[in-house]
Amino acid sequence: MTYSYTQISQYLTCPRRYRYRYLDGWQEKDTRAAMLFGRAFERALTAYFLREDTAAVLFREWAACKNQGLRYSKGDTWDRMLQQGIQLLDRFCQDDRIRIRQARRNVQIKFTRTLSEKNDFVAYVDAIGKLNGTRCILEWKTTSSRYPEGPDGLLALDPQLVCYSWMTGISEVAQVVFVRKRLVEV
């Protein structure tokens, strides 16, 4: 059997949902606009490191979701989220704090580790690169509200990043959080 951080997290949150999805094979259609926007935004970030047109990729990927009966929250609309995404991409490019060499190899990477003869663990890492000159695992997050900055060492306790560090052998990890607000933040 293959395990992942997402599977373990789902099991700890709701064992019945885990069973339906991973053991019984049910596929739940996700209509949460924020989740689907996050996926589209990640593809636009990948395009940035591949030196492609990020705004065009974001528009194409997000447009594919437009007529899926999305559930929006907190006054979000399809147009507003697109506008925020473009602003976030602009801010990210201006900050120029992250470098990823060989993007085709170091963005959206699958790692597998054998646990026993019949069991392995899989992790999908958003990117491996340098943040402010330090080599690290990069995890992209989009949100409509700012993450808390404290207590100190908060990221050190994030189980997803701990898992990714274990899988890759890279001790430095970073969450790059894209905050969709009236004034966007990275």
Side-chain angles (χ1 to χ4, degrees):
M1 178 161 217
T2 300
Y3 298 97
S4 70
Y5 166 78
T6 303
Q7 285 180 314
I8 293 169
S9 177
Q10 288 233 334
Y11 179 79
L12 294 173
T13 302
C14 181
R16 182 175 294 164
R17 187 174 180 189
Y18 169 88
R19 188 184 104 217
Y20 290 152
R21 169 132 190 231
Y22 294 103
L23 301 179
D24 297 344
W26 290 15
Q27 289 291 340
E28 184 178 355
K29 183 176 180 181
D30 202 340
T31 58
R32 294 173 293 167
M35 180 66 73
L36 295 173
F37 176 83
R39 290 179 189 154
F41 190 81
E42 279 191 21
R43 290 185 188 106
L45 284 172
T46 298
Y48 170 75
F49 293 107
L50 294 173
R51 297 186 182 354
E52 297 172 2
D53 185 339
T54 57
V57 170
L58 178 62
F59 180 81
R60 181 185 71 232
E61 297 293 330
W62 186 224
C65 303
K66 190 172 187 174
N67 298 318
Q68 293 184 13
L70 300 177
R71 291 179 296 151
Y72 295 94
S73 61
K74 299 178 187 171
D76 280 336
T77 65
W78 187 91
D79 291 322
R80 183 169 188 235
M81 292 175 81
L82 175 64
Q83 179 184 24
Q84 290 170 332
I86 291 169
Q87 290 171 345
L88 283 166
L89 289 168
D90 285 344
R91 171 68 65 81
F92 180 74
C93 294
Q94 289 169 1
D95 287 349
D96 197 31
R97 296 174 55 199
I98 295 177
R99 300 270 189 241
I100 298 177
R101 294 185 59 212
Q102 300 176 347
R104 294 200 189 286
R105 218 177 101 204
N106 290 312
V107 175
Q108 297 300 322
I109 317 154
K110 178 181 178 180
F111 289 89
T112 305
R113 181 175 277 201
T114 301
L115 299 174
S116 67
E117 187 176 310
K118 295 182 181 180
N119 298 304
D120 54 337
F121 197 93
V122 66
Y124 295 91
V125 174
D126 288 339
I128 296 175
K130 289 187 177 183
L131 171 63
N132 297 332
T134 302
R135 184 174 186 263
C136 61
I137 296 168
L138 298 161
E139 177 66 15
W140 316 127
K141 298 289 184 192
T142 58
T143 181
S144 60
S145 59
R146 180 181 252 200
Y147 282 24
E149 294 185 24
D152 289 338
L154 181 65
L155 289 180
L157 303 175
D158 185 292
Q160 184 179 24
L161 295 178
V162 169
C163 172
Y164 290 175
S165 179
W166 168 71
M167 287 294 290
T168 63
I170 300 171
S171 60
E172 297 294 325
V173 296
Q175 278 186 342
V176 182
V177 181
F178 297 88
V179 185
R180 298 182 304 100
K181 299 188 329 182
R182 201 180 69 176
L183 294 173
V184 298
E185 298 177 12
V186 179

